[in-house]
Amino acid sequence: YDMPRTGRVDVAALRAHLAGEDGSARIAQALALRPSDASMRFAAALVAQADQRATDTGRLAVEARQGVAGDALLARNIAQLAH
């Protein structure tokens, strides 16, 4: 797979590496590293929505919407969240 701005990615190796990982823990770590990044909250809300975790989706969506004014891309995409 050729990933934009990253280059070729060995998908099988990536899947093998991530197989034993807890995606939720990784997302929590990313959010902790960028606590005021609304776009990170948006991404986490999309994942929570896909995983049908309504409580997390709602909380993260509220936090993401608070940053819409300062992020044009986020403003264009925030409607992707059901809440």
Side-chain angles (χ1 to χ4, degrees):
Y1 176 71
D2 193 11
M3 224 170 148
R5 294 186 302 271
T6 301
R8 302 264 327 138
V9 174
D10 182 342
V11 175
L14 181 59
R15 283 190 181 132
H17 175 73
L18 296 176
E21 295 289 326
D22 177 4
S24 296
R26 291 282 188 174
I27 291 170
Q29 289 172 341
L31 293 175
L33 291 172
R34 299 186 68 168
S36 61
D37 189 334
S39 62
M40 293 288 287
R41 296 311 194 251
F42 171 70
L46 288 175
V47 171
Q49 181 174 285
D51 289 347
Q52 299 180 347
R53 290 181 284 122
T55 302
D56 290 339
T57 302
R59 176 182 53 79
L60 291 162
V62 167
E63 293 172 3
R65 286 187 178 96
Q66 292 171 350
V68 165
D71 187 328
L73 181 60
L74 178 59
R76 285 195 307 267
N77 288 291
I78 198 72
Q80 299 298 316
L81 293 173
H83 290 77

